[in-house]
Amino acid sequence: MNRYQSFCRRAAADGMVLLKNEKKALPIAPDKKIALFGRGQFVTFKSGCGSGDVVGVRTVSAVEGLHNAGVPLCEELYSHNRAWHLNHFEEVKNADKFYDGMKNMDEIPLTERMVSEAAKQTDTAVVILSRVVGEGRDIPLEKGEFYLADKETDMLRMARKHFAKVIVCLNFGGVYDLSGVVANHPDAILYMSQGGQQVGNALADILLGKVTPSGKLTDTWAKRYTDYPTTEFFGEMEVPYKEGIYVGYRYFDSFGKEPLYPFGFGLSYTDFEIRNQEITLSDSVLALRVAVKNTGAYPGREVVQCYLSKPQGKLKQAYQDLVAFAKTGLLAPGEEETLELSFDFRKNASYCTETATYLLPKGEYFVRVGNGSRSTHIAARVTVQKNMPVLKTVNRFAPNVIFREITARTTVPYTYPGEGREKETAQAFVLPELPCEVIEPAENHPPKLLAAGNGATVTIQDVAAGRATAEELVAQLNLEELGCIANGVNYGLDTYEGGIIGSMSDSVPGAAGETFTIPKYGITGNVCADGPAGIRLLSSGDDFTKISEDDQRRTLTAYPVGTCFANSWDEELAREYGQCIAEEMARFHIDGWLAPGMNIHRNPLCGRNFEYFSEDPFVSGKMAAAQTVGVQWKNGKSTGKYTTIKHFVANNQETLRTEMSSEVSERTLREIYLKPFEIAVRESQPHALMTSYNRLNGVYATVNYDLLNGVLRSEWGFEGIVMSDWGATGDFSLRPWAGNDLNMPGSGKTYINLMKGGKLDIPVVQECAVRIIKWLVKTSQLPTDHSNQESF
Ligand code: BGC
């Protein structure tokens, strides 16, 4: 197994979450015979579908993983299952294909006799349930989709009736309805996720206890779909985000609703004791040292989570927000490790729309520490003596439709016995007075025309070596060249054929897109490929003349999906993943990765949730930042590779994805939907960002000045380029003005015609081109010494 495959297997196991484990059903002894149920044992999904699916690779299914581990199976049951599956193979052959597949499969029929016969050979049944969905489709609220199919319910019922131990494994990319599973009272439930191509081996590692589960949920699993606050508005053309900041656990906690499995929850085979050792407050940063001891019988890892509860005043707050987390290394029984966690109050201020400030409202703040959102204790109380504005900006967003957000004014939030007393006795601090920073709004002055000098031609190598500026290079470009710089080559379909520009649109077959090569200025095309679960290079119908399929199979890797990485709560793992991706990119001559996807899981039905991380902005931002650091930097030096964080912003449903409008208030946007992107930009400075297909408050992202030049550049200091999603909507003549630098896969001719017709300001396109040249210098395999660049 190569290094990438071993990483894949480890990452998949680390992202699996043990939701239930009674009667010590897990782990299973290695020589124990098991009765294996469910079509998912053969068709085990490594990921969802669409551009986030890595194709041309082989997935280790659940049954293969168990075979590889030498687990004996009930033979007759296995033969029956296998024969039926193979006889119905046609129906699942395309199950993971882009758009045309995504059909969830029919379950294998069983008879009571078959099941009882198998039960004579063993007391242990393992059931694999699988689901797939992806880009362009949301999960239907139907049986066999969001709900169990009747045959699945039947299978679970029979397994329960005949076996002493029933273990259910969920090969899902996100949240589904579990009422049918729970009603059949399995002894163990493992959310195995879609763990990439090594998913079957990783499953065996967990089931047999070679790896102790250490994943925790990064989404709330509700008892029923209608328990989520977002179900009233989802899948429509205009979607008012009425739930406001109360997304996921923020809603369940604040409105006192009991989830099936809470955010942050996950069991282990071993036990841990968590002790706060030392808490300090220095300026606006609260730091905690937390000791974690393995008090059980298995080696294992634990995740410590820290939540902040803010005072309820004029600005209504969620019961708690996640503000820090850390994961231990592998602790042997009896071993202890001290974790250091910290968070900055300034970064956790609430947005007050009335005054356009980030504010720390006056009152008592409680810091909670534990191993899940509903298993914490109060570690500290911090008093803020007066309302403290910490950042003044301008309001930029207002919904286009009228609606009122819900508030938790009259509801009774979640509590637990002893919480009141803990509040009284917690270690107390007073937050010192903090200055208020002021952000000057981005000035919307049109840039001046860059005029060319008479000197020798400036090349991109001159820019890279510091002999000339990007502005000087751009000043030389004529309208055709300018139009091409600001657009991808569109697979040669929209290529400018003026002779001086040589497009290399097929330089890496199967890649998602590429920018122009302009030999005159030494500019090389920049190639980018999808997507969040590895590098996607092949797609059916493409002519892969340059890289053989065998080569692909040997080297490309399908990694676990975004939700699986998030569930690992392991930033180091995410960084390591980025490194693997950067190495694979170098091997295949790819410059950029169209990932990570990092939209918030607003509603469990969103078809692309598997690509994204979580319902929580903090964990999403941290994962994206760690992956970006891994891709873009190695030992303090730039790798010349880049991430493209996407989809900016509020792409939370696939239905009507290129037309619908997410209607969101300023505060909700800033605290929930923009937040993960803000964290990723501030902490890792990705070299690229992709705008989303949807509209935000009626305005397409590609033409949203406040979103791109406003929040992203002026407020957060983003230094990379903004590219459109593939064929995204939005008036071309407004895109450069808004700050959307590059159109993908490309509309060069449109730009050139608009500029020639005076409908697109040349200086504004030049401004985008300057950013693109700077980006090319950082990322286009130039023989450049990057050692002077800032490192993360
Ligand atoms: C998807 C993007 C993807 C792009 C290129 C689009 O359909 O929305 O996420 O990166 O295609 O494949």
Side-chain angles (χ1 to χ4, degrees):
M1 200 182 279
N2 72 27
R3 167 169 127 62
Y4 306 114
Q5 295 297 329
S6 340
F7 172 79
C8 229
R9 181 170 178 167
R10 177 158 55 91
D14 277 358
M16 293 188 182
V17 187
L18 184 62
L19 298 174
K20 182 177 180 188
N21 193 18
E22 281 168 11
K23 292 193 269 176
K24 295 213 166 114
L26 288 174
I28 304 169
D31 51 355
K32 174 104 194 161
K33 187 177 261 194
I34 63 171
L36 193 55
F37 292 92
R39 190 104 186 257
Q41 66 184 284
F42 305 108
V43 187
T44 314
F45 292 106
K46 64 181 187 322
S47 75
C49 21
S51 62
D53 179 19
V54 173
V55 285
V57 297
R58 219 185 145 275
T59 303
V60 179
S61 65
V63 73
E64 276 180 273
L66 293 168
H67 276 318
N68 294 345
V71 175
L73 301 179
C74 290
E75 278 304 327
E76 295 75 17
L77 180 66
Y78 171 67
S79 304
H80 162 78
N81 285 339
R82 186 159 184 277
W84 193 92
H85 163 65
L86 291 177
N87 278 334
H88 295 76
F89 191 66
E90 268 306 301
E91 154 214 329
V92 292
K93 183 168 95 194
N94 285 324
D96 59 354
K97 290 284 174 316
F98 210 136
Y99 298 137
D100 52 350
M102 297 192 208
K103 295 279 175 331
N104 282 301
M105 51 203 174
D106 199 10
E107 192 43 78
I108 304 169
L110 298 163
T111 63
E112 202 82 43
R113 220 191 110 257
M114 257 174 224
V115 180
S116 67
E117 281 302 311
K120 286 181 190 151
Q121 299 173 36
T122 178
D123 64 349
T124 304
V126 173
V127 185
I128 317 281
L129 299 174
S130 291
R131 286 290 185 276
V132 72
V133 71
E135 186 176 342
R137 183 177 191 250
D138 290 319
I139 304 172
L141 269 178
E142 290 166 11
K143 283 187 179 178
E145 295 283 355
F146 190 67
Y147 300 103
L148 287 190
D150 289 342
K151 279 191 197 160
E152 289 173 321
T153 315
D154 236 35
M155 172 170 71
L156 288 172
R157 183 192 54 74
M158 284 194 260
R160 179 68 291 171
K161 185 169 159 200
H162 295 282
F163 289 85
K165 287 181 185 171
V166 178
I167 297 151
V168 176
C169 305
L170 311 171
N171 175 215
F172 299 170
V175 174
Y176 283 80
D177 181 80
L178 288 192
S179 52
V181 174
V182 173
N184 282 294
H185 309 290
D187 304 288
I189 305 176
L190 177 72
Y191 172 27
M192 64 184 273
S193 187
Q194 293 174 331
Q197 69 186 108
Q198 287 292 332
V199 60
N201 284 331
L203 175 70
D205 290 342
I206 293 279
L207 293 181
L208 303 183
K210 287 183 196 155
V211 176
T212 299
S214 64
K216 308 270 180 192
L217 294 180
T218 45
D219 285 310
T220 304
W221 290 58
K223 288 184 178 156
R224 61 193 74 80
Y225 176 67
T226 46
D227 283 354
Y228 292 101
T230 52
T231 52
E232 191 187 342
F233 294 104
F234 178 78
E236 281 135 54
M237 184 61 96
E238 238 100 53
V239 179
Y241 283 29
K242 264 182 78 170
E243 69 285 356
I245 58 166
Y246 299 103
V247 178
Y249 67 90
R250 287 171 168 78
Y251 173 77
F252 285 79
D253 293 341
S254 311
F255 287 74
K257 211 162 214 121
E258 192 59 26
L260 180 60
Y261 295 114
F263 179 88
F265 172 78
L267 300 170
S268 171
Y269 297 154
T270 190
D271 298 306
F272 296 96
E273 182 190 281
I274 297 179
R275 282 185 343 268
N276 298 324
Q277 286 189 324
E278 197 191 340
I279 307 172
T280 51
L281 179 68
S282 154
D283 189 28
S284 58
V285 177
L286 191 116
L288 304 110
R289 282 165 58 80
V290 181
V292 182
K293 185 172 183 184
N294 183 348
T295 55
Y298 292 87
R301 302 179 69 193
E302 180 61 304
V303 177
V304 173
Q305 304 162 33
C306 175
Y307 296 83
L308 181 66
S309 295
K310 299 172 187 168
Q312 299 291 353
K314 205 168 152 202
L315 276 181
K316 288 293 154 207
Q317 309 286 0
Y319 169 79
Q320 58 181 347
D321 302 325
L322 179 75
V323 291
F325 63 88
K327 190 165 184 172
T328 66
L330 187 66
L331 299 179
E335 204 182 338
E336 179 168 314
E337 181 181 335
T338 299
L339 296 174
E340 303 199 347
L341 293 86
S342 66
F343 70 91
D344 190 339
F345 273 87
R346 301 179 70 98
K347 290 187 186 159
N348 289 284
S350 307
Y351 192 75
C352 169
T353 314
E354 216 171 275
T355 55
T357 50
Y358 284 89
L359 183 74
L360 287 166
K362 161 182 170 188
E364 308 284 296
Y365 290 66
F366 294 98
V367 179
R368 305 171 187 271
V369 175
N371 67 352
S373 66
R374 293 200 173 195
S375 51
T376 60
H377 291 290
I378 295 177
R381 181 178 75 228
V382 181
T383 306
V384 173
Q385 286 171 319
K386 58 174 195 184
N387 281 344
M388 244 188 251
V390 291
L391 187 67
K392 170 99 185 92
T393 179
V394 287
N395 288 331
R396 299 178 183 279
F397 307 100
N400 218 21
V401 299
I402 297 166
F403 63 93
R404 191 187 282 262
E405 283 184 350
I406 59 171
T407 74
R409 192 160 286 134
T410 54
T411 55
V412 182
Y414 162 75
T415 185
Y416 55 89
E419 187 187 18
R421 181 149 175 76
E422 283 182 15
K423 283 185 171 174
E424 283 161 24
T425 55
Q427 195 177 339
F429 299 88
V430 175
L431 195 76
E433 203 164 314
L434 302 171
C436 182
E437 208 184 302
V438 179
I439 291 181
E440 295 301 334
E443 293 284 6
N444 195 3
H445 288 322
K448 291 206 180 71
L449 185 76
L450 299 171
N454 298 324
T457 305
V458 171
T459 65
I460 197 162
Q461 286 72 23
D462 294 329
V463 179
R467 291 189 294 269
T469 62
E471 284 78 1
E472 284 166 329
L473 193 162
V474 169
Q476 313 166 105
L477 304 180
N478 62 31
L479 292 193
E480 281 78 10
E481 292 162 343
L482 202 53
C484 288
I485 284 284
N487 284 277
V489 300
N490 200 8
Y491 306 103
L493 298 178
D494 195 12
T495 312
Y496 168 62
E497 306 195 12
I500 44 161
I501 297 171
S503 111
M504 300 202 308
S505 58
D506 65 345
S507 58
V508 182
E514 180 168 2
T515 62
F516 279 91
T517 289
I518 312 183
K520 184 176 166 192
Y521 306 110
I523 294 172
T524 317
N526 188 292
V527 182
C528 50
D530 285 303
I535 298 182
R536 173 187 169 88
L537 276 188
L538 290 176
S539 62
S540 55
D542 280 337
D543 173 18
F544 303 104
T545 48
K546 299 205 176 148
I547 306 165
S548 74
E549 271 200 41
D550 276 354
D551 203 10
Q552 293 274 355
R553 286 214 173 87
R554 270 199 305 277
T555 49
L556 274 180
T557 316
Y559 295 88
V561 296
T563 44
C564 188
F565 270 102
N567 289 342
S568 77
W569 295 69
D570 190 342
E571 288 177 84
E572 182 52 32
L573 192 81
R575 201 183 54 74
E576 226 180 308
Y577 175 38
Q579 279 179 355
C580 293
I581 289 290
E583 288 169 22
E584 290 203 296
M585 281 204 273
R587 164 103 177 74
F588 283 91
H589 310 292
I590 306 284
D591 305 299
W593 191 40
L594 302 174
M598 50 186 304
N599 293 82
I600 291 293
H601 295 167
R602 172 177 179 261
N603 181 297
L605 302 185
C606 174
R608 295 189 86 169
N609 276 353
F610 76 95
E611 292 186 54
Y612 306 149
F613 295 113
S614 164
E615 68 186 21
D616 177 72
F618 182 72
V619 81
S620 304
K622 283 289 182 184
M623 284 291 143
Q627 290 189 1
T628 298
V629 169
V631 167
Q632 296 190 174
W633 306 95
K634 189 165 187 193
N635 302 329
K637 287 196 175 178
S638 166
T639 57
K641 305 291 170 205
Y642 63 92
T643 57
T644 312
I645 55 174
K646 67 187 188 184
H647 303 93
F648 199 54
V649 68
N651 186 77
N652 304 116
Q653 68 178 48
E654 286 301 290
T655 310
L656 300 166
R657 67 175 178 153
T658 58
E659 299 146 86
M660 64 81 56
S661 180
S662 298
E663 298 288 325
V664 202
S665 76
E666 177 102 25
R667 178 182 179 200
T668 300
L669 264 172
R670 287 181 179 269
E671 292 188 22
I672 305 288
Y673 296 95
L674 290 169
K675 190 82 174 186
F677 290 93
E678 177 178 6
I679 294 170
V681 167
R682 289 191 194 273
E683 296 190 5
S684 67
Q685 201 55 258
H687 296 320
L689 168 143
M690 188 190 291
T691 42
S692 57
Y693 283 135
N694 59 284
R695 289 177 293 146
L696 170 65
N697 296 333
V699 183
Y700 278 110
T702 50
V703 294
N704 197 328
Y705 184 94
D706 280 307
L707 187 63
L708 306 179
N709 278 338
V711 161
L712 176 69
R713 291 206 163 96
S714 161
E715 294 195 21
W716 305 342
F718 178 65
E719 293 166 9
I721 60 133
V722 173
M723 70 172 81
S724 73
D725 199 344
W726 269 232
T729 321
D731 188 340
F732 280 103
S733 62
L734 296 177
R735 292 185 188 196
W737 159 79
N740 191 101
D741 306 307
L742 182 65
N743 298 308
M744 293 302 283
S747 302
K749 274 186 188 163
T750 309
Y751 256 41
I752 294 163
N753 290 337
L754 283 172
M755 282 189 285
K756 285 185 175 164
K759 298 215 171 80
L760 186 53
D761 278 346
I762 296 162
V764 192
V765 185
Q766 284 182 326
E767 200 178 41
C768 296
V770 166
R771 286 196 285 257
I772 290 169
I773 294 294
K774 290 182 179 166
W775 165 73
L776 289 172
V777 166
K778 283 186 233 159
T779 62
S780 261
Q781 299 170 36
L782 291 168
T784 311
D785 178 9
H786 294 282
S787 55
N788 292 331
Q789 290 187 8
E790 191 190 344
S791 68
F792 284 91

